[in-house]
Amino acid sequence: MSAERQIILDTETTGLEVGDGHRVIEIGCVELKNRRVTSNNFHHYLNPERAIDAGALDVHGISAEFLADKPRFADVAGSLLDYLRGAELVIHNAAFDVGFIDMELERAGLGLRLGQICSIVDTVAMARRLHPGQRASLDALCKRYGIDNSNRELHGALLDARLLADVYLAMTGGQATLGLDREAGVGTQAAASALGQLQSLFEGPAAPLRVIRAGEEELAAHRERLAGINKKAGKLLWNGEDGPAAL
């Protein structure tokens, strides 16, 4: 398997349980080559030939009416396998998506599983290793790494795959070891830059302090100002030259 080509994959489904006969209704893939996002996406809406659970509809907003004229999974399975073959798959909660796609491949009579043609990376497991005890949802990771997900009102396979590509690149970019709390939405690169600037203040030889002494005119003006304060207040505690003044 070549890690130079990675595919960020996401699906939407008619429901949560593949064992209950739920089907894939959208598949979205974003390609990375040498850690750069390309324009070579793979995206299809699919007719599941069954009803969509109300709970699933609330999540993704994809209706059975919208999918009625879309291709079936079997119609796009060959082109999907050609697109994925030999790549490293990056999937958020991989067991869910892989389980559904393997089921669809079996239904299509292809006798293949994703793990036979691709290596698979689960970004949920990766996030839990990097940030133990923290939330590992895609929204939480977008917030942690400063990735704008303001357009994600509903889930969508291609949109979520694109967001996950940014999250994955941030998680594997070498900055996560800083241990900074990004729950406030501070971006990884911005946090690293700020830390670098702070460190630079304390590194290297200290520059000698420059001492600028007051001239005679400035000293005379200072004495005149102190005399005025003393005359008005009568409580000057320090005369500025000879130490404490008499009360």
Side-chain angles (χ1 to χ4, degrees):
M1 304 294 178
S2 174
E4 294 179 358
R5 182 172 185 262
Q6 296 164 302
I7 302 298
I8 316 298
L9 182 148
D10 189 64
T11 64
E12 298 299 338
T13 64
T14 61
L16 290 177
E17 296 296 334
V18 66
D20 292 340
H22 284 292
R23 306 287 300 276
V24 174
I25 59 174
E26 184 188 8
I27 183 165
C29 301
V30 171
E31 181 185 63
L32 298 181
K33 275 195 172 179
N34 297 317
R35 295 183 58 80
R36 293 182 181 274
V37 176
T38 76
S39 59
N40 184 24
N41 297 336
F42 184 96
H43 180 237
H44 280 286
Y45 290 104
L46 302 166
N47 184 346
E49 302 179 288
R50 62 151 292 157
I52 299 172
D53 277 5
L57 184 61
D58 289 342
V59 170
H60 51 60
I62 304 171
S63 68
E65 291 75 19
F66 172 77
L67 298 172
D69 63 346
K70 300 300 184 285
R72 282 112 177 121
F73 185 92
D75 299 327
V76 304
S79 57
L80 173 64
L81 292 177
D82 289 342
Y83 177 82
L84 298 179
R85 196 179 302 275
E88 180 179 69
L89 295 188
V90 178
I91 307 174
H92 203 62
N93 191 17
F96 179 87
D97 300 88
V98 171
F100 269 92
I101 292 177
D102 282 350
M103 176 273 297
E104 294 285 4
L105 292 172
E106 183 178 342
R107 280 176 176 264
L110 295 177
L112 278 176
R113 292 180 175 271
L114 280 184
Q116 294 176 266
I117 64 169
C118 302
S119 59
I120 300 170
V121 173
D122 185 354
T123 47
V124 168
M126 180 184 296
R128 286 172 176 164
R129 287 195 303 270
L130 290 172
H131 311 292
Q134 303 297 314
R135 292 181 299 143
S137 69
L138 184 56
D139 283 338
L141 291 173
C142 284
K143 184 177 181 181
R144 177 176 292 275
Y145 288 101
I147 294 165
D148 182 11
N149 65 341
S150 56
N151 291 327
R152 194 185 186 232
E153 295 181 5
L154 293 172
H155 289 226
L158 189 61
L159 170 62
D160 287 0
R162 186 60 183 84
L163 290 172
L164 183 58
D166 290 338
V167 166
Y168 172 77
L169 291 172
M171 284 200 297
T172 58
Q175 299 293 344
T177 55
L178 289 173
L180 299 176
D181 184 4
R182 299 181 181 84
E183 287 296 334
V186 179
T188 302
Q189 293 181 349
S193 175
L195 181 62
Q197 293 176 19
L198 182 62
Q199 289 174 333
S200 68
L201 296 176
F202 301 97
E203 294 176 353
L209 293 176
R210 185 182 179 190
V211 179
I212 301 177
R213 300 186 181 281
E216 284 301 322
E217 291 184 4
E218 292 170 313
L219 289 173
H222 178 62
R223 286 192 291 267
E224 183 179 351
R225 177 63 175 160
L226 289 178
I229 293 172
N230 189 43
K231 182 177 180 181
K232 186 174 181 179
K235 295 181 180 180
L236 189 64
L237 301 180
W238 194 272
N239 62 21
E241 291 184 352
D242 302 323
L247 293 178

PDB file of all heavy atoms in Angstrom, residues 128-163:
ATOM      1  N   ARG A 128      -8.141   9.705  20.062  1.00  0.00           N
ATOM      2  CA  ARG A 128      -8.155   9.269  21.463  1.00  0.00           C
ATOM      3  C   ARG A 128      -6.751   9.002  21.988  1.00  0.00           C
ATOM      4  O   ARG A 128      -6.493   9.163  23.184  1.00  0.00           O
ATOM      5  CB  ARG A 128      -9.035   8.031  21.601  1.00  0.00           C
ATOM      6  CG  ARG A 128     -10.524   8.360  21.506  1.00  0.00           C
ATOM      7  CD  ARG A 128     -11.403   7.149  21.455  1.00  0.00           C
ATOM      8  NE  ARG A 128     -12.817   7.534  21.450  1.00  0.00           N
ATOM      9  CZ  ARG A 128     -13.818   6.736  21.109  1.00  0.00           C
ATOM     10  NH1 ARG A 128     -13.553   5.480  20.749  1.00  0.00           N
ATOM     11  NH2 ARG A 128     -15.067   7.166  21.119  1.00  0.00           N
ATOM     12  N   ARG A 129      -5.840   8.594  21.098  1.00  0.00           N
ATOM     13  CA  ARG A 129      -4.441   8.438  21.517  1.00  0.00           C
ATOM     14  C   ARG A 129      -3.792   9.793  21.755  1.00  0.00           C
ATOM     15  O   ARG A 129      -3.037   9.980  22.716  1.00  0.00           O
ATOM     16  CB  ARG A 129      -3.657   7.666  20.454  1.00  0.00           C
ATOM     17  CG  ARG A 129      -3.975   6.185  20.384  1.00  0.00           C
ATOM     18  CD  ARG A 129      -2.924   5.428  19.590  1.00  0.00           C
ATOM     19  NE  ARG A 129      -2.771   5.944  18.240  1.00  0.00           N
ATOM     20  CZ  ARG A 129      -3.452   5.516  17.177  1.00  0.00           C
ATOM     21  NH1 ARG A 129      -4.377   4.578  17.324  1.00  0.00           N
ATOM     22  NH2 ARG A 129      -3.235   6.024  15.989  1.00  0.00           N
ATOM     23  N   LEU A 130      -4.074  10.752  20.865  1.00  0.00           N
ATOM     24  CA  LEU A 130      -3.449  12.067  20.969  1.00  0.00           C
ATOM     25  C   LEU A 130      -4.034  12.902  22.099  1.00  0.00           C
ATOM     26  O   LEU A 130      -3.330  13.688  22.731  1.00  0.00           O
ATOM     27  CB  LEU A 130      -3.608  12.828  19.645  1.00  0.00           C
ATOM     28  CG  LEU A 130      -2.811  12.330  18.450  1.00  0.00           C
ATOM     29  CD1 LEU A 130      -3.222  13.063  17.186  1.00  0.00           C
ATOM     30  CD2 LEU A 130      -1.313  12.514  18.695  1.00  0.00           C
ATOM     31  N   HIS A 131      -5.336  12.742  22.352  1.00  0.00           N
ATOM     32  CA  HIS A 131      -6.033  13.582  23.326  1.00  0.00           C
ATOM     33  C   HIS A 131      -6.871  12.706  24.254  1.00  0.00           C
ATOM     34  O   HIS A 131      -8.099  12.731  24.200  1.00  0.00           O
ATOM     35  CB  HIS A 131      -6.928  14.592  22.600  1.00  0.00           C
ATOM     36  CG  HIS A 131      -6.234  15.339  21.506  1.00  0.00           C
ATOM     37  ND1 HIS A 131      -5.228  16.258  21.739  1.00  0.00           N
ATOM     38  CD2 HIS A 131      -6.381  15.287  20.151  1.00  0.00           C
ATOM     39  CE1 HIS A 131      -4.809  16.742  20.592  1.00  0.00           C
ATOM     40  NE2 HIS A 131      -5.478  16.166  19.614  1.00  0.00           N
ATOM     41  N   PRO A 132      -6.235  11.920  25.098  1.00  0.00           N
ATOM     42  CA  PRO A 132      -6.986  11.001  25.974  1.00  0.00           C
ATOM     43  C   PRO A 132      -7.958  11.753  26.871  1.00  0.00           C
ATOM     44  O   PRO A 132      -7.630  12.802  27.420  1.00  0.00           O
ATOM     45  CB  PRO A 132      -5.881  10.303  26.783  1.00  0.00           C
ATOM     46  CG  PRO A 132      -4.672  11.169  26.639  1.00  0.00           C
ATOM     47  CD  PRO A 132      -4.784  11.840  25.310  1.00  0.00           C
ATOM     48  N   GLY A 133      -9.163  11.202  26.967  1.00  0.00           N
ATOM     49  CA  GLY A 133     -10.173  11.800  27.833  1.00  0.00           C
ATOM     50  C   GLY A 133     -10.942  12.941  27.203  1.00  0.00           C
ATOM     51  O   GLY A 133     -11.880  13.465  27.801  1.00  0.00           O
ATOM     52  N   GLN A 134     -10.556  13.350  25.980  1.00  0.00           N
ATOM     53  CA  GLN A 134     -11.243  14.444  25.299  1.00  0.00           C
ATOM     54  C   GLN A 134     -12.223  13.892  24.270  1.00  0.00           C
ATOM     55  O   GLN A 134     -12.112  12.754  23.828  1.00  0.00           O
ATOM     56  CB  GLN A 134     -10.222  15.360  24.607  1.00  0.00           C
ATOM     57  CG  GLN A 134      -9.179  15.949  25.530  1.00  0.00           C
ATOM     58  CD  GLN A 134      -9.794  16.842  26.582  1.00  0.00           C
ATOM     59  OE1 GLN A 134     -10.640  17.675  26.283  1.00  0.00           O
ATOM     60  NE2 GLN A 134      -9.374  16.660  27.831  1.00  0.00           N
ATOM     61  N   ARG A 135     -13.185  14.723  23.869  1.00  0.00           N
ATOM     62  CA  ARG A 135     -14.155  14.309  22.870  1.00  0.00           C
ATOM     63  C   ARG A 135     -13.464  14.090  21.528  1.00  0.00           C
ATOM     64  O   ARG A 135     -12.546  14.828  21.179  1.00  0.00           O
ATOM     65  CB  ARG A 135     -15.258  15.347  22.731  1.00  0.00           C
ATOM     66  CG  ARG A 135     -16.168  15.451  23.959  1.00  0.00           C
ATOM     67  CD  ARG A 135     -17.259  16.478  23.737  1.00  0.00           C
ATOM     68  NE  ARG A 135     -16.685  17.798  23.518  1.00  0.00           N
ATOM     69  CZ  ARG A 135     -17.185  18.696  22.663  1.00  0.00           C
ATOM     70  NH1 ARG A 135     -18.242  18.403  21.935  1.00  0.00           N
ATOM     71  NH2 ARG A 135     -16.631  19.872  22.542  1.00  0.00           N
ATOM     72  N   ALA A 136     -13.923  13.087  20.784  1.00  0.00           N
ATOM     73  CA  ALA A 136     -13.274  12.743  19.519  1.00  0.00           C
ATOM     74  C   ALA A 136     -14.222  12.867  18.337  1.00  0.00           C
ATOM     75  O   ALA A 136     -13.943  12.332  17.268  1.00  0.00           O
ATOM     76  CB  ALA A 136     -12.720  11.318  19.588  1.00  0.00           C
ATOM     77  N   SER A 137     -15.348  13.573  18.496  1.00  0.00           N
ATOM     78  CA  SER A 137     -16.248  13.776  17.366  1.00  0.00           C
ATOM     79  C   SER A 137     -15.578  14.694  16.345  1.00  0.00           C
ATOM     80  O   SER A 137     -14.634  15.432  16.662  1.00  0.00           O
ATOM     81  CB  SER A 137     -17.563  14.400  17.830  1.00  0.00           C
ATOM     82  OG  SER A 137     -17.353  15.735  18.262  1.00  0.00           O
ATOM     83  N   LEU A 138     -16.086  14.672  15.114  1.00  0.00           N
ATOM     84  CA  LEU A 138     -15.504  15.525  14.084  1.00  0.00           C
ATOM     85  C   LEU A 138     -15.662  16.994  14.438  1.00  0.00           C
ATOM     86  O   LEU A 138     -14.726  17.793  14.260  1.00  0.00           O
ATOM     87  CB  LEU A 138     -16.159  15.226  12.726  1.00  0.00           C
ATOM     88  CG  LEU A 138     -15.587  15.980  11.517  1.00  0.00           C
ATOM     89  CD1 LEU A 138     -14.091  15.750  11.372  1.00  0.00           C
ATOM     90  CD2 LEU A 138     -16.321  15.573  10.248  1.00  0.00           C
ATOM     91  N   ASP A 139     -16.812  17.383  14.978  1.00  0.00           N
ATOM     92  CA  ASP A 139     -17.011  18.778  15.377  1.00  0.00           C
ATOM     93  C   ASP A 139     -16.029  19.185  16.475  1.00  0.00           C
ATOM     94  O   ASP A 139     -15.461  20.282  16.439  1.00  0.00           O
ATOM     95  CB  ASP A 139     -18.448  18.986  15.871  1.00  0.00           C
ATOM     96  CG  ASP A 139     -19.449  19.064  14.736  1.00  0.00           C
ATOM     97  OD1 ASP A 139     -19.045  19.382  13.602  1.00  0.00           O
ATOM     98  OD2 ASP A 139     -20.646  18.799  14.977  1.00  0.00           O
ATOM     99  N   ALA A 140     -15.827  18.302  17.448  1.00  0.00           N
ATOM    100  CA  ALA A 140     -14.900  18.614  18.544  1.00  0.00           C
ATOM    101  C   ALA A 140     -13.472  18.765  18.024  1.00  0.00           C
ATOM    102  O   ALA A 140     -12.727  19.648  18.470  1.00  0.00           O
ATOM    103  CB  ALA A 140     -14.962  17.524  19.608  1.00  0.00           C
ATOM    104  N   LEU A 141     -13.079  17.921  17.080  1.00  0.00           N
ATOM    105  CA  LEU A 141     -11.724  18.001  16.534  1.00  0.00           C
ATOM    106  C   LEU A 141     -11.555  19.235  15.654  1.00  0.00           C
ATOM    107  O   LEU A 141     -10.477  19.856  15.645  1.00  0.00           O
ATOM    108  CB  LEU A 141     -11.389  16.731  15.753  1.00  0.00           C
ATOM    109  CG  LEU A 141     -11.244  15.478  16.610  1.00  0.00           C
ATOM    110  CD1 LEU A 141     -11.095  14.239  15.742  1.00  0.00           C
ATOM    111  CD2 LEU A 141     -10.051  15.600  17.564  1.00  0.00           C
ATOM    112  N   CYS A 142     -12.587  19.620  14.918  1.00  0.00           N
ATOM    113  CA  CYS A 142     -12.524  20.861  14.148  1.00  0.00           C
ATOM    114  C   CYS A 142     -12.285  22.044  15.088  1.00  0.00           C
ATOM    115  O   CYS A 142     -11.462  22.922  14.809  1.00  0.00           O
ATOM    116  CB  CYS A 142     -13.812  21.066  13.353  1.00  0.00           C
ATOM    117  SG  CYS A 142     -13.971  20.032  11.874  1.00  0.00           S
ATOM    118  N   LYS A 143     -12.989  22.067  16.217  1.00  0.00           N
ATOM    119  CA  LYS A 143     -12.811  23.137  17.203  1.00  0.00           C
ATOM    120  C   LYS A 143     -11.412  23.104  17.794  1.00  0.00           C
ATOM    121  O   LYS A 143     -10.747  24.127  17.935  1.00  0.00           O
ATOM    122  CB  LYS A 143     -13.866  22.995  18.301  1.00  0.00           C
ATOM    123  CG  LYS A 143     -13.846  24.114  19.325  1.00  0.00           C
ATOM    124  CD  LYS A 143     -14.968  23.938  20.334  1.00  0.00           C
ATOM    125  CE  LYS A 143     -14.960  25.071  21.359  1.00  0.00           C
ATOM    126  NZ  LYS A 143     -16.038  24.909  22.365  1.00  0.00           N
ATOM    127  N   ARG A 144     -10.936  21.910  18.130  1.00  0.00           N
ATOM    128  CA  ARG A 144      -9.613  21.769  18.743  1.00  0.00           C
ATOM    129  C   ARG A 144      -8.504  22.268  17.827  1.00  0.00           C
ATOM    130  O   ARG A 144      -7.546  22.912  18.258  1.00  0.00           O
ATOM    131  CB  ARG A 144      -9.360  20.303  19.113  1.00  0.00           C
ATOM    132  CG  ARG A 144      -7.978  20.022  19.696  1.00  0.00           C
ATOM    133  CD  ARG A 144      -7.853  18.577  20.130  1.00  0.00           C
ATOM    134  NE  ARG A 144      -8.712  18.314  21.275  1.00  0.00           N
ATOM    135  CZ  ARG A 144      -8.347  18.560  22.535  1.00  0.00           C
ATOM    136  NH1 ARG A 144      -7.171  19.072  22.811  1.00  0.00           N
ATOM    137  NH2 ARG A 144      -9.172  18.289  23.518  1.00  0.00           N
ATOM    138  N   TYR A 145      -8.634  22.004  16.528  1.00  0.00           N
ATOM    139  CA  TYR A 145      -7.574  22.358  15.589  1.00  0.00           C
ATOM    140  C   TYR A 145      -7.869  23.638  14.805  1.00  0.00           C
ATOM    141  O   TYR A 145      -7.154  23.966  13.851  1.00  0.00           O
ATOM    142  CB  TYR A 145      -7.328  21.196  14.619  1.00  0.00           C
ATOM    143  CG  TYR A 145      -6.629  20.031  15.291  1.00  0.00           C
ATOM    144  CD1 TYR A 145      -7.341  18.913  15.700  1.00  0.00           C
ATOM    145  CD2 TYR A 145      -5.263  20.063  15.546  1.00  0.00           C
ATOM    146  CE1 TYR A 145      -6.707  17.851  16.335  1.00  0.00           C
ATOM    147  CE2 TYR A 145      -4.618  19.013  16.177  1.00  0.00           C
ATOM    148  CZ  TYR A 145      -5.351  17.905  16.568  1.00  0.00           C
ATOM    149  OH  TYR A 145      -4.714  16.866  17.188  1.00  0.00           O
ATOM    150  N   GLY A 146      -8.906  24.368  15.207  1.00  0.00           N
ATOM    151  CA  GLY A 146      -9.166  25.654  14.582  1.00  0.00           C
ATOM    152  C   GLY A 146      -9.619  25.560  13.141  1.00  0.00           C
ATOM    153  O   GLY A 146      -9.290  26.415  12.319  1.00  0.00           O
ATOM    154  N   ILE A 147     -10.410  24.526  12.809  1.00  0.00           N
ATOM    155  CA  ILE A 147     -10.889  24.317  11.441  1.00  0.00           C
ATOM    156  C   ILE A 147     -12.335  24.778  11.353  1.00  0.00           C
ATOM    157  O   ILE A 147     -13.181  24.365  12.152  1.00  0.00           O
ATOM    158  CB  ILE A 147     -10.750  22.839  11.044  1.00  0.00           C
ATOM    159  CG1 ILE A 147      -9.260  22.475  10.986  1.00  0.00           C
ATOM    160  CG2 ILE A 147     -11.431  22.541   9.714  1.00  0.00           C
ATOM    161  CD1 ILE A 147      -8.997  20.995  10.958  1.00  0.00           C
ATOM    162  N   ASP A 148     -12.628  25.637  10.395  1.00  0.00           N
ATOM    163  CA  ASP A 148     -13.956  26.223  10.253  1.00  0.00           C
ATOM    164  C   ASP A 148     -14.959  25.189   9.754  1.00  0.00           C
ATOM    165  O   ASP A 148     -14.857  24.708   8.625  1.00  0.00           O
ATOM    166  CB  ASP A 148     -13.883  27.402   9.272  1.00  0.00           C
ATOM    167  CG  ASP A 148     -15.238  28.099   9.109  1.00  0.00           C
ATOM    168  OD1 ASP A 148     -16.161  27.804   9.898  1.00  0.00           O
ATOM    169  OD2 ASP A 148     -15.349  28.939   8.199  1.00  0.00           O
ATOM    170  N   ASN A 149     -15.922  24.849  10.592  1.00  0.00           N
ATOM    171  CA  ASN A 149     -16.987  23.923  10.187  1.00  0.00           C
ATOM    172  C   ASN A 149     -18.354  24.590  10.303  1.00  0.00           C
ATOM    173  O   ASN A 149     -19.370  23.929  10.531  1.00  0.00           O
ATOM    174  CB  ASN A 149     -16.944  22.637  11.019  1.00  0.00           C
ATOM    175  CG  ASN A 149     -17.241  22.894  12.495  1.00  0.00           C
ATOM    176  OD1 ASN A 149     -17.130  24.026  12.967  1.00  0.00           O
ATOM    177  ND2 ASN A 149     -17.618  21.855  13.227  1.00  0.00           N
ATOM    178  N   SER A 150     -18.380  25.906  10.126  1.00  0.00           N
ATOM    179  CA  SER A 150     -19.619  26.663  10.302  1.00  0.00           C
ATOM    180  C   SER A 150     -20.675  26.311   9.256  1.00  0.00           C
ATOM    181  O   SER A 150     -21.861  26.582   9.463  1.00  0.00           O
ATOM    182  CB  SER A 150     -19.336  28.170  10.255  1.00  0.00           C
ATOM    183  OG  SER A 150     -18.681  28.523   9.042  1.00  0.00           O
ATOM    184  N   ASN A 151     -20.269  25.712   8.128  1.00  0.00           N
ATOM    185  CA  ASN A 151     -21.230  25.316   7.102  1.00  0.00           C
ATOM    186  C   ASN A 151     -21.847  23.952   7.375  1.00  0.00           C
ATOM    187  O   ASN A 151     -22.675  23.476   6.592  1.00  0.00           O
ATOM    188  CB  ASN A 151     -20.559  25.284   5.723  1.00  0.00           C
ATOM    189  CG  ASN A 151     -20.189  26.670   5.250  1.00  0.00           C
ATOM    190  OD1 ASN A 151     -20.879  27.641   5.542  1.00  0.00           O
ATOM    191  ND2 ASN A 151     -19.087  26.779   4.520  1.00  0.00           N
ATOM    192  N   ARG A 152     -21.453  23.302   8.468  1.00  0.00           N
ATOM    193  CA  ARG A 152     -21.909  21.935   8.728  1.00  0.00           C
ATOM    194  C   ARG A 152     -23.179  21.934   9.572  1.00  0.00           C
ATOM    195  O   ARG A 152     -23.199  21.465  10.696  1.00  0.00           O
ATOM    196  CB  ARG A 152     -20.796  21.161   9.421  1.00  0.00           C
ATOM    197  CG  ARG A 152     -21.026  19.636   9.437  1.00  0.00           C
ATOM    198  CD  ARG A 152     -19.946  18.941  10.234  1.00  0.00           C
ATOM    199  NE  ARG A 152     -20.057  17.503  10.141  1.00  0.00           N
ATOM    200  CZ  ARG A 152     -20.084  16.677  11.187  1.00  0.00           C
ATOM    201  NH1 ARG A 152     -20.029  17.157  12.409  1.00  0.00           N
ATOM    202  NH2 ARG A 152     -20.168  15.378  11.010  1.00  0.00           N
ATOM    203  N   GLU A 153     -24.266  22.457   9.027  1.00  0.00           N
ATOM    204  CA  GLU A 153     -25.537  22.415   9.739  1.00  0.00           C
ATOM    205  C   GLU A 153     -26.103  20.998   9.719  1.00  0.00           C
ATOM    206  O   GLU A 153     -26.723  20.541  10.681  1.00  0.00           O
ATOM    207  CB  GLU A 153     -26.520  23.400   9.117  1.00  0.00           C
ATOM    208  CG  GLU A 153     -26.075  24.864   9.269  1.00  0.00           C
ATOM    209  CD  GLU A 153     -27.068  25.820   8.669  1.00  0.00           C
ATOM    210  OE1 GLU A 153     -28.143  25.358   8.231  1.00  0.00           O
ATOM    211  OE2 GLU A 153     -26.765  27.029   8.631  1.00  0.00           O
ATOM    212  N   LEU A 154     -25.945  20.300   8.591  1.00  0.00           N
ATOM    213  CA  LEU A 154     -26.326  18.900   8.461  1.00  0.00           C
ATOM    214  C   LEU A 154     -25.096  18.105   8.040  1.00  0.00           C
ATOM    215  O   LEU A 154     -24.168  18.656   7.434  1.00  0.00           O
ATOM    216  CB  LEU A 154     -27.433  18.723   7.416  1.00  0.00           C
ATOM    217  CG  LEU A 154     -28.807  19.312   7.752  1.00  0.00           C
ATOM    218  CD1 LEU A 154     -29.717  19.219   6.544  1.00  0.00           C
ATOM    219  CD2 LEU A 154     -29.436  18.611   8.945  1.00  0.00           C
ATOM    220  N   HIS A 155     -25.090  16.826   8.358  1.00  0.00           N
ATOM    221  CA  HIS A 155     -24.000  15.966   7.923  1.00  0.00           C
ATOM    222  C   HIS A 155     -24.108  15.723   6.420  1.00  0.00           C
ATOM    223  O   HIS A 155     -25.203  15.598   5.870  1.00  0.00           O
ATOM    224  CB  HIS A 155     -24.055  14.622   8.661  1.00  0.00           C
ATOM    225  CG  HIS A 155     -23.686  14.718  10.098  1.00  0.00           C
ATOM    226  ND1 HIS A 155     -22.814  13.830  10.699  1.00  0.00           N
ATOM    227  CD2 HIS A 155     -24.053  15.580  11.061  1.00  0.00           C
ATOM    228  CE1 HIS A 155     -22.680  14.160  11.975  1.00  0.00           C
ATOM    229  NE2 HIS A 155     -23.429  15.209  12.209  1.00  0.00           N
ATOM    230  N   GLY A 156     -22.988  15.664   5.759  1.00  0.00           N
ATOM    231  CA  GLY A 156     -22.927  15.306   4.345  1.00  0.00           C
ATOM    232  C   GLY A 156     -21.614  14.597   4.103  1.00  0.00           C
ATOM    233  O   GLY A 156     -20.577  15.009   4.631  1.00  0.00           O
ATOM    234  N   ALA A 157     -21.631  13.530   3.305  1.00  0.00           N
ATOM    235  CA  ALA A 157     -20.438  12.690   3.179  1.00  0.00           C
ATOM    236  C   ALA A 157     -19.260  13.453   2.585  1.00  0.00           C
ATOM    237  O   ALA A 157     -18.140  13.363   3.086  1.00  0.00           O
ATOM    238  CB  ALA A 157     -20.759  11.453   2.337  1.00  0.00           C
ATOM    239  N   LEU A 158     -19.483  14.213   1.512  1.00  0.00           N
ATOM    240  CA  LEU A 158     -18.363  14.919   0.889  1.00  0.00           C
ATOM    241  C   LEU A 158     -17.866  16.064   1.754  1.00  0.00           C
ATOM    242  O   LEU A 158     -16.659  16.263   1.911  1.00  0.00           O
ATOM    243  CB  LEU A 158     -18.767  15.425  -0.497  1.00  0.00           C
ATOM    244  CG  LEU A 158     -17.617  15.989  -1.344  1.00  0.00           C
ATOM    245  CD1 LEU A 158     -16.560  14.907  -1.601  1.00  0.00           C
ATOM    246  CD2 LEU A 158     -18.134  16.539  -2.664  1.00  0.00           C
ATOM    247  N   LEU A 159     -18.790  16.817   2.349  1.00  0.00           N
ATOM    248  CA  LEU A 159     -18.401  17.903   3.253  1.00  0.00           C
ATOM    249  C   LEU A 159     -17.628  17.361   4.442  1.00  0.00           C
ATOM    250  O   LEU A 159     -16.566  17.897   4.812  1.00  0.00           O
ATOM    251  CB  LEU A 159     -19.649  18.644   3.740  1.00  0.00           C
ATOM    252  CG  LEU A 159     -19.431  19.669   4.876  1.00  0.00           C
ATOM    253  CD1 LEU A 159     -18.501  20.777   4.423  1.00  0.00           C
ATOM    254  CD2 LEU A 159     -20.760  20.238   5.341  1.00  0.00           C
ATOM    255  N   ASP A 160     -18.119  16.289   5.047  1.00  0.00           N
ATOM    256  CA  ASP A 160     -17.441  15.722   6.215  1.00  0.00           C
ATOM    257  C   ASP A 160     -16.081  15.146   5.840  1.00  0.00           C
ATOM    258  O   ASP A 160     -15.128  15.222   6.631  1.00  0.00           O
ATOM    259  CB  ASP A 160     -18.308  14.644   6.865  1.00  0.00           C
ATOM    260  CG  ASP A 160     -19.500  15.241   7.609  1.00  0.00           C
ATOM    261  OD1 ASP A 160     -19.634  16.477   7.620  1.00  0.00           O
ATOM    262  OD2 ASP A 160     -20.300  14.471   8.162  1.00  0.00           O
ATOM    263  N   ALA A 161     -15.972  14.564   4.637  1.00  0.00           N
ATOM    264  CA  ALA A 161     -14.679  14.046   4.194  1.00  0.00           C
ATOM    265  C   ALA A 161     -13.685  15.184   4.029  1.00  0.00           C
ATOM    266  O   ALA A 161     -12.497  15.044   4.372  1.00  0.00           O
ATOM    267  CB  ALA A 161     -14.832  13.271   2.891  1.00  0.00           C
ATOM    268  N   ARG A 162     -14.144  16.327   3.520  1.00  0.00           N
ATOM    269  CA  ARG A 162     -13.235  17.471   3.338  1.00  0.00           C
ATOM    270  C   ARG A 162     -12.783  18.033   4.685  1.00  0.00           C
ATOM    271  O   ARG A 162     -11.614  18.379   4.865  1.00  0.00           O
ATOM    272  CB  ARG A 162     -13.930  18.560   2.515  1.00  0.00           C
ATOM    273  CG  ARG A 162     -13.010  19.720   2.143  1.00  0.00           C
ATOM    274  CD  ARG A 162     -11.834  19.227   1.309  1.00  0.00           C
ATOM    275  NE  ARG A 162     -10.903  20.305   1.001  1.00  0.00           N
ATOM    276  CZ  ARG A 162      -9.940  20.720   1.812  1.00  0.00           C
ATOM    277  NH1 ARG A 162      -9.772  20.136   2.996  1.00  0.00           N
ATOM    278  NH2 ARG A 162      -9.128  21.697   1.450  1.00  0.00           N
ATOM    279  N   LEU A 163     -13.714  18.119   5.642  1.00  0.00           N
ATOM    280  CA  LEU A 163     -13.339  18.565   6.989  1.00  0.00           C
ATOM    281  C   LEU A 163     -12.371  17.585   7.639  1.00  0.00           C
ATOM    282  O   LEU A 163     -11.396  17.990   8.281  1.00  0.00           O
ATOM    283  CB  LEU A 163     -14.591  18.727   7.855  1.00  0.00           C
ATOM    284  CG  LEU A 163     -15.520  19.883   7.521  1.00  0.00           C
ATOM    285  CD1 LEU A 163     -16.805  19.785   8.342  1.00  0.00           C
ATOM    286  CD2 LEU A 163     -14.831  21.219   7.765  1.00  0.00           C
TER     287      LEU A 163
END
